[in-house]
Amino acid sequence: MSDSSSIESVLHESRMFPPPADFAANAHVKSFEEYKRLYDEAAKDPEAFWAKQAEEIHWFKKWDTVLEWNEPFAKWFVGGELNISYNCLDRHLTTWRKNKAAIIWEGEPGEVRTLTYLQLHRQVSKFANVLKKLGVETGDRVALYMPLVPELAIAMLACARIGATHTVIFGGFSADAIRDRVNDGGCKVIVTADGGYRRGNEIKLKDIVDRAADQCPGVENVIVFRRTSSKVAWKHGRDHWWHELMETVVDDCAAEPLDSEHPLFILYTSGTTGKPKGILHTTGGYISQTAYSMKMVMDLKDEDIYWCTADIGWVTGHSYVVYGPLANGATVFMYEGAPNFPDFDRFWAMIDRHKINILYTAPTAIRAFIKWGEQYPAKHDLSSLRLLGTVGEPINPEAWMWYHEVIGKGRCPIIDTWWQTETGGIMISPFPGATPTVPGTATLPIPGIIVDVVTKSGDPVGPNEGGYLVIKHPWPSMLRTLWGDDERYKQTYWSDIPNCYFAGDGARRDENGYFWIMGRVDDVINVSGHRLGTAEVESALVSHEAVAEAAVVGRPDDLKGQAIAAFVTLEGGRKGNEELKEALRAHVAKEIGALAKPDDIRFTDALPKTRSGKIMRRLLRELATSGTVAGDVTTLEDLSVIEKLREDEE
Ligand code: WT7
């Protein structure tokens, strides 16, 4: 980790946008004073504040204690019993929402399906019975590797209904990545589909699962949803069609009362070592914070049709496609495929067609839209939109302004929401009817969340000074541990800065107290809003027979935020060429998934190292970014390495 004094903040931005008056008048939180009052009250007693939010949730049995905190282990709503599937479904069936659309889904080829709360409840109950029938019990783990179809949400809610812990694996991951996650999680069942559509092509998910499942001794059953009807291999006894199993069960399955700390899901994410971390989220605290933030940050109303474009394979999809919105009885729009299929206007056509009111997407998507051109949104009526959101990485002010003007027509507030897989829910974000926004900043923490920017020893830094973004008080939707590895949980999040959760991000606060996130300060890179550990990509490269050593760094990229640059040394005198570069890229795709393919590969005789043998990534980062090294090289063991790399550049 670099020293905080080296984190220089460079962005300066003075445009400020107060919430539009008509928006504020109808918002859940209507003024900055109201937000401030909520915030200050909650800061005095976060437990009391979150207990109040938890009362919006249905509990079979109320909790005895709001928070038990044995740093770094938290338990929220101790002694309480609830079921998230009950909260997302059953609860609405006794109200007028029974026949409200819960999910409106559009497949990439263009078909549309609508599921009301009643219909969704029925499907979830049946699939819960399917899982039970296959021997899945409370406490078991189930892996989900599916396209973005309603059945993915159905499978998640069915797991939650019976207390099985799900781990959703993003559909872009490779067979090896599935195998590692399924085995680490100890999953009994994998739910998948024959395939899914992406940019007009079929991704053959079942084939990929087959390659993984053969190396997963704990997997007893594979359930296959029929999406594309293409031919799949079949292992009798292990594989089952979703639709066939669904015919064998009744549609009645009571939601299991679960302990507030019952494990809801494990989601694997990248860290600074090669081994992915299984982030564990539990039940009562998770749903309390995601439901609250969904309502307040997205200013969600019953009439809204809401679209979060994230894949359900990431935490954004868990918290703000499935659990947060459904707990609020919202109408969620889901889209299966690519934004540029059949043409570059697909998103805008769907917003127009379905009259979408709230759009939550990622800066990398916005940058792609900018590149494709204004003519595409211009073809459609976007007047249904009333609120725009972003998540995943810092949004550059230019992209923010484009989003504001070209998509929002200057009418829609923008919420830039900062959070992480680990935080489970939104932590820093404007309240759209209350907080004046400034392009490029996520503004202020939501009520009940205590964050700060500090030095390495934990002392607060002054206005506009760079430092480490930390969370100073436990929050309900925080990760509870890393699956099966309490020690690594402690080490990773709670050991760098005294008495704080350290998030891995650098930040500064401006004179208004607004938080400007400056990106990761560790060896994690953010490619198109997806997190990748440089160590993961390095170990994938080194596992190729030609590679002796590899160092991977991020470099700025206009579209993706960061691109992956790899420096590679080869085994015993082998020579690098274009063919080998391609082979290495393909190898990384096989090991991790296409999203981790290096953009640049450079062969070198040696890597720059310190005398103690540590690779000097800072130099490589500089080299990958600017093509040269101007910084301090005094600790470098062998100066000629850099000279050599410099020459290669020229
Ligand atoms: C990392 C977390 C939270 C869901 C998506 C990503 C970066 C996220 C913002 C934002 C600046 C952001 C951070 C964070 N990040 N949102 N609004 N502004 N940076 O989840 O994969 O766990 O990644 O994404 O660097 O640490 P994730």
Side-chain angles (χ1 to χ4, degrees):
M1 199 191 299
S2 53
D3 185 59
S4 73
S5 60
S6 67
I7 306 173
E8 288 297 325
S9 59
V10 283
L11 277 173
H12 292 288
E13 178 59 61
S14 52
R15 287 166 286 198
M16 188 175 261
F17 296 85
D22 54 336
F23 189 101
N26 296 305
H28 290 307
V29 179
K30 295 178 170 50
S31 67
F32 190 71
E33 292 65 44
E34 198 182 332
Y35 156 78
K36 194 77 182 107
R37 208 165 44 241
L38 282 169
Y39 187 84
D40 290 343
E41 223 179 274
K44 268 189 236 133
D45 191 351
E47 274 98 297
F49 172 82
W50 286 116
K52 206 159 137 207
Q53 309 323 318
E55 273 159 24
E56 300 293 312
I57 299 299
H58 169 275
W59 296 80
F60 292 119
K61 176 173 172 285
K62 204 181 157 171
W63 60 88
D64 309 311
T65 314
V66 177
L67 171 65
E68 251 178 51
W69 179 232
N70 294 309
E71 190 187 313
F73 298 100
K75 288 184 179 169
W76 281 87
F77 309 115
V78 184
E81 286 179 10
L82 74 162
N83 185 292
I84 289 188
S85 165
Y86 186 97
N87 271 281
C88 290
L89 301 168
D90 305 55
R91 194 155 67 121
H92 306 308
L93 301 189
T94 52
T95 72
W96 66 270
R97 293 194 188 98
K98 180 169 98 173
N99 295 319
K100 178 179 175 175
I103 296 174
I104 299 175
W105 172 85
E106 198 170 302
E108 194 183 75
E111 69 272 52
V112 173
R113 284 170 62 196
T114 302
L115 285 156
T116 65
Y117 274 94
L118 186 72
Q119 291 166 335
L120 185 61
H121 175 264
R122 183 159 184 268
Q123 295 297 313
V124 169
S125 301
K126 288 181 77 168
F127 196 66
N129 282 331
V130 163
L131 292 173
K132 279 188 183 171
K133 196 170 173 165
L134 293 182
V136 177
E137 292 172 5
T138 302
D140 286 343
R141 271 87 53 211
V142 173
L144 311 175
Y145 183 71
M146 298 182 80
L148 213 164
V149 290
E151 281 67 20
L152 175 49
I154 290 169
M156 291 163 79
L157 290 160
C159 288
R161 198 165 186 85
I162 62 171
T165 302
H166 59 69
T167 182
V168 182
I169 302 169
F170 172 60
F173 278 117
S174 67
D176 291 358
I178 299 173
R179 175 200 60 208
D180 293 346
R181 285 158 176 74
V182 166
N183 289 339
D184 187 80
C187 302
K188 256 183 150 171
V189 172
I190 303 177
V191 186
T192 186
D194 46 3
Y197 294 108
R198 187 82 195 172
R199 207 161 301 146
N201 299 314
E202 185 190 349
I203 306 199
K204 299 206 152 233
L205 299 173
K206 172 68 164 62
D207 287 359
I208 302 169
V209 165
D210 284 339
R211 289 204 295 278
D214 287 340
Q215 303 169 64
C216 301
V219 171
E220 295 161 7
N221 293 290
V222 174
I223 305 175
V224 188
F225 174 69
R226 182 175 276 161
R227 168 70 187 119
T228 57
S229 297
S230 66
K231 225 174 126 41
V232 290
W234 209 254
K235 191 160 172 181
H236 289 280
R238 185 196 71 182
D239 298 349
H240 316 267
W241 284 112
W242 172 297
H243 59 271
E244 287 177 2
L245 290 173
M246 289 289 263
E247 276 170 25
T248 66
V249 292
V250 297
D251 62 2
D252 180 33
C253 174
E256 196 73 40
L258 299 168
D259 188 90
S260 177
E261 283 299 332
H262 188 77
L264 173 67
F265 67 84
I266 304 167
L267 192 56
Y268 285 87
T269 188
S270 300
T272 50
T273 72
K275 187 173 179 279
K277 302 181 288 195
I279 307 290
L280 178 70
H281 283 288
T282 60
T283 301
Y286 174 79
I287 198 64
S288 299
Q289 186 171 339
T290 51
Y292 173 76
S293 53
M294 179 69 219
K295 180 170 170 188
M296 297 313 210
V297 173
M298 311 281 178
D299 192 47
L300 183 71
K301 306 285 167 49
D302 255 316
E303 313 79 71
D304 285 322
I305 165 159
Y306 157 81
W307 182 22
C308 166
T309 67
D311 193 281
I312 295 177
W314 310 112
V315 73
T316 310
H318 285 60
S319 302
Y320 299 106
V321 177
V322 180
Y323 292 120
L326 297 179
N328 278 286
T331 295
V332 178
F333 178 72
M334 285 181 192
Y335 168 58
E336 175 185 33
N340 52 353
F341 186 86
D343 204 349
F344 295 109
D345 66 341
R346 181 63 183 265
F347 273 26
W348 322 120
M350 292 191 294
I351 288 170
D352 190 356
R353 183 151 57 238
H354 299 282
K355 304 291 174 247
I356 286 164
N357 305 113
I358 304 174
L359 175 67
Y360 189 31
T361 193
T364 185
I366 297 167
R367 290 191 299 266
F369 301 142
I370 296 173
K371 195 178 116 198
W372 296 339
E374 289 182 25
Q375 64 274 29
Y376 295 104
K379 282 205 264 185
H380 301 279
D381 177 8
L382 304 180
S383 63
S384 58
L385 289 172
R386 66 179 196 88
L387 177 65
L388 305 173
T390 74
V391 60
E393 58 181 307
I395 179 164
N396 43 310
E398 280 51 53
W400 196 102
M401 287 306 297
W402 187 92
Y403 200 28
H404 179 69
E405 282 162 10
V406 178
I407 306 305
K409 315 285 180 212
R411 292 180 299 106
C412 307
I414 295 181
I415 44 161
D416 172 354
T417 62
W418 178 87
W419 56 294
Q420 309 177 296
T421 306
E422 290 87 344
T423 70
I426 293 169
M427 303 294 276
I428 304 179
S429 169
F431 272 13
T435 317
T437 54
V438 177
T441 159
T443 74
L444 297 166
I446 68 168
I449 298 301
I450 318 288
V451 287
D452 204 352
V453 179
V454 300
T455 63
K456 202 166 182 186
S457 45
D459 303 315
V461 301
N464 287 317
E465 265 177 58
Y468 300 100
L469 180 61
V470 294
I471 307 171
K472 294 188 126 169
H473 189 276
W475 63 105
S477 64
M478 66 188 275
L479 78 165
R480 296 305 193 259
T481 189
L482 296 178
W483 182 253
D485 202 343
D486 286 349
E487 198 41 48
R488 188 175 177 200
Y489 164 70
K490 262 195 219 170
Q491 277 304 321
T492 309
Y493 301 107
W494 299 90
S495 66
D496 285 327
I497 296 165
N499 305 108
C500 291
Y501 166 90
F502 173 52
D505 284 336
R508 71 176 164 97
R509 297 186 80 170
D510 66 16
E511 48 289 338
N512 299 312
Y514 281 16
F515 286 79
W516 294 74
I517 314 297
M518 289 147 59
R520 307 284 307 193
V521 298
D522 52 15
D523 291 325
V524 170
I525 48 186
N526 190 327
V527 181
S528 303
H530 299 152
R531 232 162 107 171
L532 285 168
T534 51
E536 268 176 284
V537 184
E538 285 165 5
S539 42
L541 284 166
V542 174
S543 72
H544 188 279
E545 39 92 22
V547 176
E549 204 174 21
V552 167
V553 296
R555 64 157 171 82
D557 181 86
D558 284 348
L559 212 55
K560 298 197 268 191
Q562 284 188 296
I564 305 173
F567 294 83
V568 171
T569 64
L570 296 175
E571 289 284 357
R574 285 187 65 152
K575 281 269 162 285
N577 54 26
E578 283 309 312
E579 211 177 306
L580 183 58
K581 279 187 192 174
E582 264 327 296
L584 292 180
R585 287 162 51 83
H587 181 71
V588 173
K590 178 187 158 289
E591 292 285 314
I592 306 175
L595 74 168
K597 273 191 194 172
D599 297 86
D600 317 332
I601 294 181
R602 293 174 51 183
F603 298 111
T604 169
D605 293 337
L607 293 169
K609 288 186 186 165
T610 61
R611 274 161 251 264
S612 62
K614 220 167 162 274
I615 294 174
M616 294 182 76
R617 286 162 201 289
R618 178 176 57 80
L619 298 185
L620 293 175
R621 227 173 279 136
E622 242 184 289
L623 203 60
T625 304
S626 63
T628 183
V629 172
D632 178 25
V633 291
T634 47
T635 53
L636 189 65
E637 169 69 12
D638 176 6
L639 200 62
S640 69
V641 173
I642 283 294
E643 293 303 331
K644 188 85 181 42
L645 278 164
R646 249 194 221 140
E647 280 164 27
D648 292 351
E649 182 71 28
E650 283 149 15

